[in-house]
Amino acid sequence: MSIPDDFDLQNFLPYLLNQAAEESSLSFQKVYKDRYGMLRTEWRVLFHLGIYGRMTAKQIGERSKMHKTKISRAVAKLAERRFLTRQKDEADRRLEYLELTPAGLRAYRDLRDVARAYDSQIAARFSEDEVALLRRMLRQLAGGAR
Amino acid sequence: MSIPDDFDLQNFLPYLLNQAAEESSLSFQKVYKDRYGMLRTEWRVLFHLGIYGRMTAKQIGERSKMHKTKISRAVAKLAERRFLTRQKDEADRRLEYLELTPAGLRAYRDLRDVARAYDSQIAARFSEDEVALLRRMLRQLAGGAR
DNA sequence: CGTTGTTAGTTACAAAACCAACAGTTAACA
DNA sequence: TGTTAACTGTTGGTTTTGTAACTAACAACG
């Protein structure tokens, strides 16, 4: 029984994107995990603060599309490790501004350099035009609707 | 403090791939979840059996790169729902052949058609050449090393 | 003011993933 | 053969995530 079917799983875009994403994250994950004991959510928050500077959890959520509970937990961990400080907005006391400490900034810069090198290494597997097109398509796919 | 930095997170490939993968999985996830109460691991196992026919958990692991515990649990769920049957190899009693039941096959075909339509919908956002290149690059990235 | 609704962020509980140790079976080879 | 190593698949305990309800603060409008 069980008539084999010719659906091409290896080319099904959601599956393929997942496989590529997982594979391409592996080496970088190893670094932020082994070197700083971080989770994916944590380096993402760290990077947002490192790149854009002082911002609130809400703003991180808008940029990263992470759910607020993930952010809340990542922020708690980073604060515990003294990688960031929290500071309530006096005008609107629901808001809390997050900012990297010098230690957090050092960790960010270290990982940023690793990320840059790793990205180049991946990009080097293709021509410049190809990589540019890949990034453009991925941005569009990531962008959601339409 | 907190000097803003110009690292381009939105173009960092592992990040970008994850965002694209997540976004592109959403609609399809909704279908297999709402319609069959399945998890990602479960539809993957279902598809492997639907496409390649009778095979063992080990073989599914090799093709999908899923860890054996995920497969074991997905198989248990699918067996419980009567979507597949298990049959020990008499020659090597460590092996167990998995095979879709008629109900499992129906579910597979239903989801496969959804997947095909969904894939076309995504592909339609680009030219044929672009999509072909995208798939090729993703396959290479997914393929691991080098 | 005061009631109702909205927002930022946290917490509690359940679901799922991860990892390591396990049972049962087969292979290797002294 | 007998003992050890290797392999397939499962289970247990912990970590991480997801979902929903919650607190505290502000806004809107009578």
Side-chain angles (χ1 to χ4, degrees):
Chain A
M1 269 298 121
S2 108
I3 304 110
D5 186 284
D6 73 341
F7 177 73
D8 187 359
L9 185 57
Q10 306 303 324
N11 274 323
F12 177 43
L13 282 167
Y15 184 77
L16 191 48
L17 281 162
N18 257 295
Q19 301 273 106
E22 222 161 282
E23 183 62 39
S24 80
S25 299
L26 271 181
S27 309
F28 185 58
Q29 175 180 34
K30 192 161 166 37
V31 177
Y32 64 71
K33 199 175 172 186
D34 289 1
R35 209 176 284 185
Y36 297 99
M38 283 189 193
L39 301 176
R40 201 170 33 155
T41 51
E42 290 161 31
W43 79 257
R44 285 187 180 182
V45 167
L46 186 83
F47 269 55
H48 279 267
L49 294 173
I51 293 167
Y52 306 112
R54 199 173 116 106
M55 63 198 300
T56 69
K58 178 74 189 317
Q59 294 172 314
I60 296 177
E62 280 158 3
R63 291 212 191 235
S64 69
K65 288 179 185 160
M66 280 195 282
H67 193 269
K68 60 183 183 174
T69 62
K70 276 196 203 172
I71 296 170
S72 175
R73 290 194 256 243
V75 166
K77 286 262 188 187
L78 292 171
E80 189 184 303
R81 287 170 204 176
R82 307 275 186 271
F83 278 179
L84 62 77
T85 56
R86 326 164 77 134
Q87 184 180 2
K88 280 234 188 283
D89 181 334
E90 284 307 321
D92 182 345
R93 300 179 45 68
R94 288 171 304 186
L95 305 181
E96 204 168 38
Y97 288 101
L98 308 170
E99 186 169 9
L100 294 186
T101 61
L105 202 52
R106 274 195 301 278
Y108 160 66
R109 288 186 175 139
D110 178 36
L111 290 175
R112 176 203 60 191
D113 292 346
V114 173
R116 278 206 178 111
Y118 186 43
D119 194 83
S120 305
Q121 197 182 314
I122 297 175
R125 294 164 64 173
F126 307 102
S127 80
E128 284 196 23
D129 287 352
E130 286 173 334
V131 173
L133 178 61
L134 176 66
R135 289 196 217 268
R136 187 166 66 64
M137 294 178 84
L138 290 175
R139 275 200 309 274
Q140 199 184 321
L141 290 173
R146 208 97 336 258
Chain B
M1 271 298 121
S2 107
I3 304 110
D5 188 282
D6 74 339
F7 177 73
D8 187 0
L9 184 58
Q10 305 305 323
N11 274 323
F12 178 43
L13 281 166
Y15 184 76
L16 192 49
L17 281 161
N18 257 295
Q19 301 271 111
E22 221 161 282
E23 182 62 38
S24 81
S25 297
L26 271 181
S27 308
F28 185 58
Q29 175 180 32
K30 192 163 166 34
V31 176
Y32 65 70
K33 199 174 171 186
D34 289 0
R35 207 177 285 184
Y36 295 100
M38 282 189 194
L39 301 176
R40 201 169 35 151
T41 50
E42 290 162 33
W43 80 256
R44 284 187 181 182
V45 168
L46 185 84
F47 269 54
H48 279 267
L49 294 173
I51 293 167
Y52 306 112
R54 199 173 117 108
M55 61 198 300
T56 69
K58 178 74 191 316
Q59 293 172 314
I60 295 177
E62 280 159 4
R63 291 212 190 235
S64 69
K65 288 178 185 162
M66 280 194 282
H67 194 269
K68 58 183 183 172
T69 62
K70 278 195 205 172
I71 296 170
S72 175
R73 285 175 165 127
V75 166
K77 284 263 188 186
L78 292 171
E80 190 184 302
R81 287 172 203 174
R82 306 275 186 271
F83 277 179
L84 62 76
T85 56
R86 328 165 75 135
Q87 185 179 1
K88 280 234 187 283
D89 181 334
E90 284 308 320
D92 183 344
R93 301 180 42 69
R94 290 172 302 187
L95 306 181
E96 202 167 40
Y97 288 101
L98 308 169
E99 186 170 9
L100 295 186
T101 60
L105 203 52
R106 275 195 301 277
Y108 160 66
R109 287 185 175 141
D110 178 35
L111 289 175
R112 175 202 61 191
D113 291 346
V114 172
R116 279 205 177 111
Y118 185 44
D119 195 84
S120 305
Q121 198 182 313
I122 297 175
R125 294 163 64 175
F126 307 101
S127 78
E128 284 196 22
D129 288 352
E130 286 173 333
V131 173
L133 179 60
L134 176 65
R135 290 195 216 268
R136 187 166 65 64
M137 295 178 85
L138 291 175
R139 275 199 309 275
Q140 199 183 321
L141 290 173
R146 208 90 336 256

